Amino acid sequence: MAESENVIMHSSTVLLCSLFVQVAHAASLNWPWSWDEPVHTLTWGTSSWTNCSGLTPPGTPGFRPNCMDSERILDILIKRDIVYVQGYDFGRELQQDNFENAEREIAAIREHKREKGSKKPYGILGYRGIVVGPPALWNISQYKSFWLTDDLGVHHPGLWDFRNASARRFYISDLLRQTNISSADGCFIDTGDIVAARSNLTVQSRQEIFNATALLWKELIESGSTKSKLFLVTPSLKNHMGQDIDGDDGTPRCIGNESITTPCYPYGEEVLYDILGDDVWAPHRQFNIPSRDFGKDTAGCVAAIHTVMEQGTRGPQMLTCNGCNHSTVEGQAMFNVSFAAFLMGCEKGSYFGAGAHFHNDSSWDYAWPDLERSIGKPVDKAVQTGSKFSRTFEHVRADVDCETQTGSITWL
């Protein structure tokens, strides 16, 4: 391990503990949320595939003289509770360390919101990665210790090992610089818990890496927050809460005696809440049923619903059905089951988005009628009978059959 650090114990394994900047209990999430309003929604802002001036020089293929959002798009964005802003050419922004377009879009959304007298969006989150060049970080010798060396001694340049406190500090500092915490309300990060499930690691190493990644998120929250304003961090998660024997993506839970060449998740994700403690955060999930992330089969569908039910009781959660597409029978069916599954765990602070991630897709801006109505207060908790779930609210009943992976929404 690159650095010596203080440790605390968790589940009979070590948790690295060395906070970057510590804030004494930053403010909680105070965005308006009511059962009497339409479903609380999130959306993705700009496209990672759109080339823009400033990143694409004039005279070269892909150059566009004006890449800012149209008024129509801005009108859509200010109807959502939360907007993720990625920037116009995510890959080249990272390569060129140029985030002006993302900052311009945040400013444009805020100005349009002011001009239209809209209260929404309540939160604008940067969708950020880590600067990769030039030159590529993994080709710079001073950062060699940032990357994972597995338990067979193989070095993996570019694969973060957050057990190294210097790697966490670098990542946080760079990410906050990109996101521009003076204008954004938080950030989505795609550095999830998947590294801990990779092969050629002992179970103890997996546990340490999992814990260190959670610690990164905790330090990021506390570094970006103040006592009066929460910097909301919403990391993309891949595994389920609790015991999922088969694994939602083919990676099962570790039982403790696996070979180092056998991939497995060290914990269920309830452990993340233990590590982050009182810090407010929001897990993000691509919530498509059926999908490669969740619900490939009956057991995966059931585990996905249990996950949302558990998350909802613990705090905010962000779910996006980016496979929901009103123009196809398959996309409509996916909306029905995914939205119904979301409602099984919907609590105060739960947000749902449907449609393509980015607004260069024709399905992005569809106004799903079910999301424009109030579901009302919950009448009960979700009821499970075998692989079927149902839940009733004042104005709607949701049903999911995980055996057939179908769902229905019935307005009352």
Side-chain angles (χ1 to χ4, degrees):
M1 201 171 300
E3 295 192 5
S4 172
E5 297 178 308
N6 297 325
V7 298
I8 62 176
M9 302 303 295
H10 185 280
S11 298
S12 300
T13 189
V14 291
L15 164 63
L16 306 172
C17 186
S18 175
L19 292 183
F20 180 50
V21 173
Q22 195 165 19
V23 174
H25 295 298
S28 17
L29 191 64
N30 58 3
W31 299 336
W33 202 103
S34 169
W35 294 108
D36 296 325
E37 294 181 1
V39 175
H40 293 273
T41 56
L42 62 92
T43 191
W44 303 77
T46 44
S47 169
S48 61
W49 308 113
T50 304
N51 296 325
C52 281
S53 55
L55 295 174
T56 302
T60 59
F63 171 74
R64 296 178 61 194
N66 183 5
C67 301
M68 291 310 296
D69 295 327
S70 67
E71 184 163 355
R72 172 182 166 276
I73 288 174
L74 288 170
D75 283 341
I76 294 170
L77 295 178
I78 65 171
K79 293 178 182 177
R80 304 294 192 265
D81 291 63
I82 300 169
V83 174
Y84 292 16
V85 171
Q86 180 165 354
Y88 291 92
D89 192 346
F90 189 51
R92 264 184 287 189
E93 287 175 343
L94 291 175
Q95 292 171 359
Q96 299 181 12
D97 196 11
N98 180 341
F99 301 95
E100 293 179 4
N101 281 321
E103 294 178 1
R104 287 171 62 204
E105 185 180 28
I106 291 175
I109 294 170
R110 295 202 185 281
E111 177 62 19
H112 196 69
K113 173 181 173 178
R114 185 191 65 78
E115 289 179 353
K116 297 293 184 177
S118 174
K119 295 181 179 180
K120 296 182 179 182
Y122 301 129
I124 301 178
L125 308 182
Y127 179 0
R128 293 270 54 94
I130 193 70
V131 170
V132 295
L137 287 180
W138 45 85
N139 290 332
I140 302 176
S141 60
Q142 73 184 85
Y143 301 131
K144 183 178 180 179
S145 65
F146 287 5
W147 320 121
L148 178 68
T149 297
D150 67 30
D151 290 328
L152 291 181
V154 178
H155 190 59
H156 299 271
L159 188 61
W160 291 90
D161 185 345
F162 290 121
R163 292 175 293 182
N164 183 338
S166 294
R168 296 198 307 276
R169 283 193 288 267
F170 180 95
Y171 188 100
I172 292 169
S173 177
D174 197 70
L175 191 146
L176 291 178
R177 175 181 61 84
Q178 298 170 34
T179 303
N180 187 357
I181 61 175
S182 65
S183 62
D185 301 302
C187 68
F188 166 90
I189 52 175
D190 227 346
T191 301
D193 52 2
I194 192 66
V195 172
R198 291 179 179 268
S199 58
N200 300 337
L201 292 169
T202 65
V203 173
Q204 179 174 335
S205 293
R206 298 182 199 283
Q207 292 170 337
E208 291 172 356
I209 293 169
F210 185 100
N211 293 345
T213 303
L215 183 59
L216 169 78
W217 301 337
K218 182 178 180 66
E219 293 173 351
L220 177 58
I221 295 166
E222 296 180 356
S223 298
S225 297
T226 66
K227 291 183 179 180
S228 60
K229 181 182 178 182
L230 172 71
F231 185 79
L232 184 68
V233 173
T234 173
S236 179
L237 302 187
K238 307 300 182 186
N239 195 19
H240 286 309
M241 304 274 283
Q243 182 88 23
D244 180 17
I245 301 299
D246 296 323
D248 63 278
D249 62 352
T251 306
R253 281 276 303 275
C254 305
I255 60 175
N257 60 356
E258 285 83 1
S259 162
I260 64 173
T261 59
T262 302
C264 62
Y265 274 100
Y267 306 116
E269 289 182 342
E270 63 275 8
V271 172
L272 297 174
Y273 289 89
D274 296 337
I275 296 173
L276 273 78
D278 293 334
D279 288 316
V280 177
W281 64 294
H284 172 95
R285 297 183 187 274
Q286 291 190 34
F287 200 71
N288 306 321
I289 299 176
S291 101
R292 64 181 177 82
D293 290 322
F294 289 106
K296 285 197 295 284
D297 51 27
T298 299
C301 173
V302 170
I305 294 176
H306 286 168
T307 294
V308 175
M309 291 167 61
E310 178 69 17
Q311 286 178 170
T313 65
R314 291 174 179 256
Q317 59 179 335
M318 314 288 184
L319 276 69
T320 57
C321 178
N322 60 312
C324 292
N325 187 333
H326 69 284
S327 64
T328 68
V329 172
E330 180 184 28
Q332 290 175 338
M334 182 173 285
F335 173 84
N336 291 337
V337 65
S338 300
F339 180 51
F342 163 77
L343 290 179
M344 299 303 158
C346 180
E347 301 293 343
K348 184 177 181 181
S350 295
Y351 298 86
F352 185 79
H357 273 1
F358 308 111
H359 60 55
N360 65 330
D361 187 289
S362 60
S363 67
W364 169 81
D365 60 353
Y366 178 66
W368 293 89
D370 287 331
L371 301 184
E372 298 193 325
R373 302 176 67 171
S374 164
I375 61 175
K377 295 182 177 65
V379 174
D380 52 21
K381 296 292 185 181
V383 176
Q384 179 180 0
T385 305
S387 59
K388 296 180 179 180
F389 295 81
S390 65
R391 191 181 187 192
T392 303
F393 296 81
E394 289 178 312
H395 308 312
V396 72
R397 174 189 166 102
D399 292 275
V400 175
D401 184 343
C402 281
E403 187 70 35
T404 59
Q405 302 204 42
T406 56
S408 63
I409 302 295
T410 305
W411 291 96
L412 306 176

